[in-house]
mmCIF file of all heavy atoms in Angstrom:
data_model
loop_
_atom_site.group_PDB
_atom_site.id
_atom_site.type_symbol
_atom_site.label_atom_id
_atom_site.label_comp_id
_atom_site.label_asym_id
_atom_site.label_seq_id
_atom_site.Cartn_x
_atom_site.Cartn_y
_atom_site.Cartn_z
ATOM 1 N N LEU A 41 -5.208 24.048 7.912
ATOM 2 C CA LEU A 41 -5.745 23.466 6.672
ATOM 3 C C LEU A 41 -4.983 23.950 5.442
ATOM 4 O O LEU A 41 -4.744 23.157 4.542
ATOM 5 C CB LEU A 41 -7.191 23.837 6.571
ATOM 6 C CG LEU A 41 -7.950 23.314 5.431
ATOM 7 C CD1 LEU A 41 -7.885 21.737 5.336
ATOM 8 C CD2 LEU A 41 -9.505 23.688 5.446
ATOM 9 N N SER A 42 -4.502 25.188 5.394
ATOM 10 C CA SER A 42 -3.803 25.725 4.293
ATOM 11 C C SER A 42 -2.460 24.970 4.111
ATOM 12 O O SER A 42 -2.016 24.657 3.065
ATOM 13 C CB SER A 42 -3.570 27.245 4.477
ATOM 14 O OG SER A 42 -4.769 27.981 4.487
ATOM 15 N N GLU A 43 -1.798 24.776 5.243
ATOM 16 C CA GLU A 43 -0.525 24.047 5.185
ATOM 17 C C GLU A 43 -0.729 22.615 4.702
ATOM 18 O O GLU A 43 0.065 22.086 3.927
ATOM 19 C CB GLU A 43 0.199 24.077 6.558
ATOM 20 C CG GLU A 43 0.701 25.504 6.943
ATOM 21 C CD GLU A 43 1.456 25.604 8.210
ATOM 22 O OE1 GLU A 43 1.638 24.569 8.850
ATOM 23 O OE2 GLU A 43 1.885 26.734 8.468
ATOM 24 N N ILE A 44 -1.716 21.972 5.153
ATOM 25 C CA ILE A 44 -2.048 20.556 4.800
ATOM 26 C C ILE A 44 -2.366 20.485 3.246
ATOM 27 O O ILE A 44 -1.819 19.707 2.557
ATOM 28 C CB ILE A 44 -3.211 19.975 5.587
ATOM 29 C CG1 ILE A 44 -2.718 19.768 7.032
ATOM 30 C CG2 ILE A 44 -3.766 18.668 4.957
ATOM 31 C CD1 ILE A 44 -3.840 19.474 8.021
ATOM 32 N N LEU A 45 -3.170 21.479 2.760
ATOM 33 C CA LEU A 45 -3.466 21.574 1.340
ATOM 34 C C LEU A 45 -2.251 21.878 0.484
ATOM 35 O O LEU A 45 -2.141 21.228 -0.610
ATOM 36 C CB LEU A 45 -4.569 22.570 1.071
ATOM 37 C CG LEU A 45 -6.010 22.171 1.574
ATOM 38 C CD1 LEU A 45 -6.949 23.422 1.606
ATOM 39 C CD2 LEU A 45 -6.525 21.125 0.551
ATOM 40 N N ALA A 46 -1.431 22.721 1.013
ATOM 41 C CA ALA A 46 -0.194 23.024 0.233
ATOM 42 C C ALA A 46 0.660 21.802 0.109
ATOM 43 O O ALA A 46 1.247 21.510 -0.966
ATOM 44 C CB ALA A 46 0.619 24.185 0.874
ATOM 45 N N MET A 47 0.810 21.068 1.258
ATOM 46 C CA MET A 47 1.650 19.756 1.180
ATOM 47 C C MET A 47 1.040 18.800 0.287
ATOM 48 O O MET A 47 1.691 18.124 -0.527
ATOM 49 C CB MET A 47 1.891 19.300 2.606
ATOM 50 C CG MET A 47 2.746 20.184 3.485
ATOM 51 S SD MET A 47 3.237 19.375 4.961
ATOM 52 C CE MET A 47 4.190 18.036 4.405
ATOM 53 N N ALA A 48 -0.296 18.612 0.317
ATOM 54 C CA ALA A 48 -1.011 17.646 -0.500
ATOM 55 C C ALA A 48 -0.820 18.024 -1.990
ATOM 56 O O ALA A 48 -0.541 17.150 -2.820
ATOM 57 C CB ALA A 48 -2.441 17.518 -0.114
ATOM 58 N N ALA A 49 -1.018 19.275 -2.353
ATOM 59 C CA ALA A 49 -0.928 19.737 -3.672
ATOM 60 C C ALA A 49 0.531 19.495 -4.268
ATOM 61 O O ALA A 49 0.685 19.145 -5.381
ATOM 62 C CB ALA A 49 -1.349 21.179 -3.861
ATOM 63 N N SER A 50 1.484 19.680 -3.390
ATOM 64 C CA SER A 50 2.920 19.598 -3.844
ATOM 65 C C SER A 50 3.286 18.224 -4.310
ATOM 66 O O SER A 50 4.203 17.971 -5.107
ATOM 67 C CB SER A 50 3.788 20.068 -2.743
ATOM 68 O OG SER A 50 3.896 19.130 -1.716
ATOM 69 N N CYS A 51 2.557 17.158 -3.812
ATOM 70 C CA CYS A 51 2.864 15.803 -4.124
ATOM 71 C C CYS A 51 1.708 15.158 -4.927
ATOM 72 O O CYS A 51 1.798 13.946 -5.268
ATOM 73 C CB CYS A 51 3.265 14.961 -2.985
ATOM 74 S SG CYS A 51 2.120 14.871 -1.706
ATOM 75 N N GLU A 52 0.721 15.887 -5.273
ATOM 76 C CA GLU A 52 -0.451 15.397 -5.937
ATOM 77 C C GLU A 52 -0.050 14.997 -7.410
ATOM 78 O O GLU A 52 0.432 15.857 -8.120
ATOM 79 C CB GLU A 52 -1.619 16.365 -6.002
ATOM 80 C CG GLU A 52 -2.910 15.861 -6.583
ATOM 81 C CD GLU A 52 -3.414 14.632 -5.881
ATOM 82 O OE1 GLU A 52 -3.828 14.725 -4.756
ATOM 83 O OE2 GLU A 52 -3.491 13.595 -6.544
ATOM 84 N N LEU A 53 -0.442 13.821 -7.774
ATOM 85 C CA LEU A 53 -0.173 13.374 -9.200
ATOM 86 C C LEU A 53 -1.385 13.554 -10.129
ATOM 87 O O LEU A 53 -1.200 13.723 -11.352
ATOM 88 C CB LEU A 53 0.303 11.988 -9.273
ATOM 89 C CG LEU A 53 1.610 11.681 -8.437
ATOM 90 C CD1 LEU A 53 1.893 10.186 -8.519
ATOM 91 C CD2 LEU A 53 2.707 12.525 -8.967
ATOM 92 N N ASP A 54 -2.559 13.623 -9.563
ATOM 93 C CA ASP A 54 -3.791 13.722 -10.337
ATOM 94 C C ASP A 54 -4.031 15.191 -10.601
ATOM 95 O O ASP A 54 -4.192 16.057 -9.663
ATOM 96 C CB ASP A 54 -4.953 13.145 -9.621
ATOM 97 C CG ASP A 54 -6.231 13.209 -10.361
ATOM 98 O OD1 ASP A 54 -6.395 12.438 -11.368
ATOM 99 O OD2 ASP A 54 -7.037 14.035 -10.039
ATOM 100 N N ARG A 55 -4.145 15.552 -11.902
ATOM 101 C CA ARG A 55 -4.300 16.990 -12.298
ATOM 102 C C ARG A 55 -5.573 17.596 -11.709
ATOM 103 O O ARG A 55 -5.536 18.710 -11.227
ATOM 104 C CB ARG A 55 -4.389 16.928 -13.819
ATOM 105 C CG ARG A 55 -4.497 18.304 -14.531
ATOM 106 C CD ARG A 55 -4.424 18.042 -16.024
ATOM 107 N NE ARG A 55 -4.623 19.333 -16.704
ATOM 108 C CZ ARG A 55 -4.350 19.407 -17.991
ATOM 109 N NH1 ARG A 55 -3.933 18.471 -18.712
ATOM 110 N NH2 ARG A 55 -4.623 20.596 -18.611
#
Side-chain angles (χ1 to χ4, degrees):
L41 184 54
S42 296
E43 290 183 358
I44 291 167
L45 285 166
M47 290 190 66
S50 73
C51 60
E52 183 61 63
L53 299 178
D54 181 74
R55 183 175 175 167

